[in-house]
Amino acid sequence: MKFIGIIPARYASTRFPGKPLAVLGGKLVIHRVVEQVSKVLNDVYVATDDERIKHAVEEFGVNVIMTRSDHKSGTDRIEEAYRKINGNVSSDVIINIQGDEPFIQEEQLETIMKCFDDPSTQIATLGKVFTDMDAVKNPNSPKIVVDNHGFAMYFSRSVIPFVRGKDESAWLSDYPFLKHIGLYAYRAETLHAITCLPQSSLEIAESLEQLRWLQNGYRIRVGLTNVETVGIDTPEDLAKAEEFLKLNFR
């Protein structure tokens, strides 16, 4: 099975403009993401709508695809990029790696790839068991409920499920609350199909695009990882990432 990695990278960000070109440990954030992904995948592309990012990526010798600036989601940008790439490099599965995850690990990519050993897998993502109840209650950290076969039943910013009859302090010992790790992979035909779908009512309510896919009957397999991600959303996160880099990647 052939896999291709595409990293969407936008310059315009409300909380951190120019984030992919921020410097982390002497290298651009986007460069670090590419380096990590290239440890596992041979075919890696950056998809951007900004000439500054394009030129920077070309300087360190990575393929870059220019996409439209009006995409409403990273998945839409991935689909456009793959259509442009497909004339030269076709693939069975496209992996969508966030451009602000400079510490993505080989194990995480390998886990999501293994999800496609099952031919019934259309879309895959990752989940990690929460270890802190305050983190579970954070609406910026979506939760996943999975069925007995490892497929997602629902994603929510709320605490799901509700553990009835128990004090909240005991919930973590009663149920393995699962954090959503925002790494996605799609079969090529599925990627095209889901980007043709209109926004769904659940997606709009929770502001989670994966609910559009579930609401339209697509199945999302959830691979489990023990690796925590360290994403960069704000300049403050960049400072934390610098400390993380010093402590873990000497």
Side-chain angles (χ1 to χ4, degrees):
M1 184 173 291
K2 186 172 177 58
F3 294 85
I4 187 173
I6 303 181
I7 305 167
R10 295 173 60 248
Y11 191 93
S13 169
T14 303
R15 290 186 288 179
F16 195 171
K19 177 170 54 178
L21 302 183
V23 176
L24 172 62
K27 293 181 181 179
L28 301 182
V29 168
I30 189 64
H31 193 175
R32 289 194 174 275
V33 178
V34 169
E35 284 185 330
Q36 291 297 102
V37 175
S38 297
K39 292 177 181 179
V40 178
L41 300 174
N42 292 323
D43 294 314
V44 180
Y45 292 78
V46 172
T48 187
D49 60 355
D50 191 273
E51 289 288 340
R52 289 162 290 189
I53 294 174
K54 176 178 183 290
H55 294 320
V57 171
E58 288 175 335
E59 283 186 0
F60 53 83
V62 174
N63 296 308
V64 60
I65 302 295
M66 291 298 292
T67 58
R68 302 197 326 260
S69 61
D70 60 345
H71 287 303
K72 296 188 181 301
S73 72
T75 303
D76 293 330
R77 192 176 308 283
I78 293 291
E79 197 277 335
E80 183 194 352
Y82 180 66
R83 276 190 285 109
K84 291 181 174 180
I85 295 166
N86 196 28
N88 299 313
V89 179
S90 62
S91 178
D92 300 299
V93 175
I94 299 93
I95 304 178
N96 175 356
I97 304 103
Q98 300 301 313
D100 57 4
E101 294 279 357
F103 303 113
I104 186 169
Q105 295 297 297
E106 296 166 67
E107 173 195 317
Q108 293 173 305
L109 292 166
E110 290 164 353
T111 297
I112 206 166
M113 291 164 72
K114 286 177 184 175
C115 290
F116 292 88
D117 290 347
D118 182 343
S120 71
T121 299
Q122 299 171 301
I123 305 169
T125 193
L126 295 182
K128 180 184 180 296
V129 174
F130 280 101
T131 57
D132 178 80
M133 197 61 206
D134 286 337
V136 175
K137 293 188 287 186
N138 182 355
N140 294 317
S141 187
K143 275 62 70 175
I144 320 172
V145 171
V146 297
D147 66 18
N148 291 340
H149 305 286
F151 288 95
M153 298 172 66
Y154 195 70
F155 296 78
S156 182
R157 296 185 182 279
S158 297
V159 178
I160 54 170
F162 177 85
V163 181
R164 187 174 181 181
K166 294 287 182 72
D167 187 88
E168 189 181 275
S169 62
W171 283 15
L172 283 180
S173 60
D174 277 66
Y175 187 84
F177 289 89
L178 203 58
K179 175 182 180 177
H180 181 220
I181 305 297
L183 179 68
Y184 293 106
Y186 333 79
R187 291 195 189 273
E189 62 275 13
T190 303
L191 174 61
H192 175 72
I194 62 176
T195 53
C196 293
L197 298 169
Q199 281 192 301
S200 73
S201 56
L202 288 175
E203 174 191 9
I204 293 169
E206 295 255 21
S207 190
L208 295 172
E209 68 169 323
Q210 61 269 36
L211 291 176
R212 181 192 322 182
W213 315 334
L214 285 183
Q215 199 168 355
N216 279 278
Y218 288 90
R219 303 185 77 197
I220 305 174
R221 184 175 289 281
V222 181
L224 298 180
T225 180
N226 292 320
V227 179
E228 184 62 86
T229 57
V230 182
I232 298 173
D233 292 321
T234 66
E236 291 74 24
D237 290 337
L238 183 64
K240 294 176 184 176
E242 285 281 3
E243 291 302 313
F244 183 84
L245 183 67
K246 291 174 185 176
L247 291 172
N248 296 279
F249 296 88
R250 293 178 179 176

